[in-house]
Amino acid sequence: MKILFASSEVWPLIKTGGLGDIAYSLPHALQHLGEDVRIVLPAYQEVLKQLSSFKILGWLSLAIAGKKHSVRVLQANHPQFAMPIWLVDEQTLFDRPGNPYAHPEGYDWADNAERYTLFSEAVARLAMDDLKTGWKADVVHSNDWQTGMVSAFLDNEIERPRRIFTIHNMAYGGNFSHEVFNQLHLPSDWWSPEGVEFYGNFSMLKAGMIYSDMITTVSPTYAKEICTPAFGYGLEGVLASRSYKLKGILNGIDRDVWNPQTDPYIAAPFSAEQIQPGKFKNKMALLESYGVSVSKDMLKAPLLGMVSRLVEQKGLDMVLETIPLLLKITDANFVFIGTGHPHFEAQLLKLSEQHPQRVMVFIGYSEEKAHLLEAGSDIFLMPSRFEPCGLNQLYSLRYGTIPIVHRTGGLADTVVNASIENGKLNKSSTGFVFDQARASELLKTIMQALKIFTQKEHWNQLQLNAMQQDFGWEKSAQEYLALYKNAETGIDE
Ligand code: ADP
Ligand code: GLC
């Protein structure tokens, strides 16, 4: 089967979050199953810098917002990719530095609607083999609002590929005004409640939902949650009425990229068979990487870590509220890696200035540091208010770093709460799960985790349970394949 996988970010070329990881690992899992996959993304400056040789596949003539674009399409190979990468190279829109969506100063590019409309139309044209390369897609798999309109652009094609649309996060709707819709010169019949119109605005996320043959999201629990007002951002009705074509498929992880036995970014390898001394060495290296003087007491004390986009979703407010008390009543220390909302960045930095030996903060994006944090922390904090799937709790489990999570979305589907019954740790436990997204609940759960942390026999068992979990792609990639094959009639089981 020929599968065109479209994403606005793809690790290791460009990544802001989990979408980038999935846009690398899922296509590889599919290719591994014998499918013929192409990945397509915009030719951002950062991406072009990392690729050395290109072939020009051809030029697409597209008209967006009354402007004619002759869009060059490149094919590149990369040593880490098992398939060719296709790049939509429209320099006026994508030859920009840094983050794909925002200006280096932080604000969204003003022409994002135009950028991702053009990208979506290019993907649709490539799927139909307008370039006459002999490769016409059987399936086009689009991801998030940036590719929401791919399916719409294919709607009038008779021999079109199956259209799968995956929602990675409902919080990002790709919402623009009616005026923007008009400026883009899109087909006027798209402007309807059964099209892209959304309470008077234009929603690219909704386009993906309406025009695709199947909608998936990244965990079974989130698939249910988004059909309710608390998680649906106003689109819950659209989704609930399309539950016949909505399915939650849990994300997998790339077990080679996140492997404590071979990870090049960590200080010492370790495995479920032999967790120590490797894990301990990583703890030391992690603390040293923050430039603190590492004492024996510090190495003994529990180390709680967090790698995250610093946004509302991730429950940072709860973490910030609990730390001052935890610093007073426990010996726990904290390590953070993150970038995002200036308000959260400033509060974290303030805490670390006040407690330099106990709260260590790196503001920025660093793949290397993220791996070392996963390897060297004892506990991973992920109290997200909502979490479509979440990958960091899965990486944490694999690195024997016990996650503390809020029972929501993919977190609820992947972490089993630990409890001690009759002096024994329940067998299936892998982490700590709390029900209400409140700082007091988080605090209570951290206190419980810290108590078990001192009971070494239980803690070792918990780490072993966590490391024995298998969240590889095998099962989920098969589920996607089943959808690809039966997209028109796929019914949620
Ligand atoms: P989300 O996609 O909502 O950000 P996920 O848990 O699915 O959450 O995935 C986040 C991914 O981004 C992980 O691979 C995580 O390690 C990475 N990440 C987030 N922030 C940073 C950062 N500041 N530095 C390095 N990696 C980061
Ligand atoms: C989104 C979600 C996250 C998910 C990731 C990959 O960014 O916030 O929960 O794991 O996409 O699907």
Side-chain angles (χ1 to χ4, degrees):
M1 206 185 303
K2 293 188 173 59
I3 302 162
L4 182 60
F5 195 92
S7 174
S8 58
E9 50 183 271
V10 182
W11 179 89
L13 302 170
I14 190 144
K15 164 175 159 184
T16 67
L19 170 62
D21 290 1
I22 300 307
Y24 174 85
S25 60
L26 174 55
H28 279 83
L30 294 164
Q31 179 102 348
H32 193 70
L33 291 174
E35 307 305 333
D36 182 9
V37 188
R38 298 285 178 279
I39 298 179
V40 57
L41 78 158
Y44 308 109
Q45 212 173 75
E46 285 300 310
V47 171
L48 289 178
K49 269 197 235 159
Q50 294 168 67
L51 297 165
S52 48
S53 62
F54 307 101
K55 179 173 127 190
I56 298 176
L57 274 190
W59 276 264
L60 293 168
S61 297
L62 305 176
I64 306 283
K67 279 178 249 159
K68 284 201 174 141
H69 294 264
S70 181
V71 179
R72 195 165 68 148
V73 181
L74 301 171
Q75 172 167 303
N77 292 305
H78 182 280
Q80 278 169 276
F81 285 73
M83 70 283 288
I85 305 160
W86 285 356
L87 300 160
V88 174
D89 187 22
E90 172 47 86
Q91 294 183 2
T92 59
L93 298 177
F94 298 120
D95 185 10
R96 298 178 191 179
N99 178 303
Y101 320 117
H103 187 274
E105 278 170 24
Y107 55 84
D108 283 353
W109 292 111
D111 55 355
N112 272 347
E114 191 177 337
R115 297 172 79 221
Y116 291 106
T117 299
L118 177 125
F119 178 56
S120 294
E121 186 165 9
V123 172
R125 301 313 344 143
L126 289 170
M128 292 304 293
D129 195 24
D130 276 19
L131 294 181
K132 304 271 177 285
T133 63
W135 196 96
K136 180 169 179 276
D138 299 306
V139 174
V140 57
H141 188 155
S142 319
N143 296 275
D144 274 353
W145 71 265
Q146 297 88 342
T147 55
M149 296 217 292
V150 172
S151 297
F153 280 115
L154 288 167
D155 208 46
N156 287 329
E157 298 288 350
I158 297 164
E159 296 202 359
R160 62 173 178 242
R162 290 172 196 139
R163 298 164 297 174
I164 310 292
F165 179 61
T166 297
I167 301 166
H168 295 262
N169 198 333
M170 290 290 297
Y172 303 98
N175 292 319
F176 301 94
S177 64
H178 188 193
E179 196 187 339
V180 167
F181 177 84
N182 288 334
Q183 283 162 1
L184 291 170
H185 295 204
L186 293 167
S188 55
D189 62 308
W190 291 6
W191 189 260
S192 101
E194 285 300 301
V196 303
E197 189 271 339
F198 176 56
Y199 294 107
N201 282 320
F202 164 35
S203 162
M204 293 200 191
L205 188 66
K206 186 176 170 192
M209 297 173 184
I210 298 281
Y211 294 101
S212 300
D213 302 304
M214 286 296 297
I215 310 166
T216 73
T217 189
V218 289
S219 70
T221 294
Y222 194 59
K224 292 194 193 104
E225 289 173 341
I226 59 179
C227 294
T228 68
F231 296 88
Y233 293 84
L235 285 162
E236 58 276 7
V238 174
L239 287 165
S241 64
R242 283 169 180 76
S243 57
Y244 63 92
K245 65 167 189 179
L246 170 66
K247 189 173 168 71
I249 300 180
L250 194 67
N251 279 336
I253 64 171
D254 187 311
R255 279 183 305 222
D256 295 329
V257 177
W258 292 92
N259 182 350
Q261 286 179 272
T262 55
D263 193 328
Y265 298 135
I266 71 177
F270 60 103
S271 66
E273 286 69 46
Q274 185 150 28
I275 301 178
Q276 301 301 355
K279 194 145 174 73
F280 185 78
K281 286 188 188 158
N282 283 303
K283 185 169 182 176
M284 186 137 89
L286 172 62
L287 289 167
E288 280 169 354
S289 76
Y290 281 86
V292 292
S293 55
V294 184
S295 64
K296 268 196 184 148
D297 284 347
M298 216 172 170
L299 285 169
K300 250 178 72 215
L303 184 61
L304 283 69
M306 190 165 182
V307 181
S308 186
R309 293 184 294 116
L310 302 177
V311 295
E312 216 50 55
Q313 169 188 351
K314 302 293 178 180
L316 255 301
D317 55 323
M318 291 184 270
V319 173
L320 286 162
E321 204 180 321
T322 54
I323 289 182
L325 185 61
L326 286 165
L327 290 174
K328 273 199 197 120
I329 62 173
T330 74
D331 60 348
N333 299 314
F334 299 85
V335 270
F336 290 89
I337 298 171
T339 169
H341 203 298
H343 171 73
F344 291 132
E345 292 183 354
Q347 286 192 68
L348 282 174
L349 286 171
K350 192 169 156 211
L351 269 175
S352 92
E353 273 160 28
Q354 289 165 342
H355 309 275
Q357 284 290 114
R358 298 196 61 191
V359 182
M360 288 141 275
V361 174
F362 173 80
I363 298 294
Y365 186 91
S366 164
E367 199 80 31
E368 291 97 295
K369 286 184 195 297
H371 281 248
L372 184 59
L373 187 145
E374 287 290 4
S377 305
D378 297 303
I379 292 172
F380 193 87
L381 293 175
M382 203 155 167
S384 311
R385 292 189 174 273
F386 65 93
E387 195 62 76
C389 178
L391 296 173
N392 273 124
Q393 84 280 16
L394 304 180
Y395 302 149
S396 302
L397 291 169
R398 188 147 165 82
Y399 283 65
T401 300
I402 302 306
I404 296 183
V405 305
H406 170 218
R407 196 184 304 282
T408 185
L411 299 175
D413 292 342
T414 54
V415 182
V416 179
N417 188 42
S419 60
I420 308 282
E421 287 144 28
N422 305 324
K424 280 203 171 139
L425 185 78
N426 61 325
K427 274 205 185 115
S428 53
S429 53
T430 56
F432 297 89
V433 189
F434 61 98
D435 288 309
Q436 301 297 329
R438 279 201 290 269
S440 57
E441 287 279 302
L442 172 64
L443 180 67
K444 218 166 69 189
T445 312
I446 294 177
M447 292 305 289
Q448 195 203 345
L450 296 184
K451 187 169 161 209
I452 299 186
F453 180 76
T454 62
Q455 303 165 354
K456 284 303 161 203
E457 201 181 315
H458 291 327
W459 194 261
N460 294 344
Q461 184 60 48
L462 193 54
Q463 282 184 313
L464 187 61
N465 290 354
M467 290 188 79
Q468 283 171 340
Q469 299 301 304
D470 184 1
F471 286 104
W473 266 111
E474 286 74 15
K475 183 167 171 283
S476 297
Q478 291 286 2
E479 287 187 61
Y480 276 112
L481 269 189
L483 285 192
Y484 295 166
K485 289 182 180 152
N486 191 23
E488 303 286 355
T489 54
I491 304 287
D492 201 7
E493 301 106 89

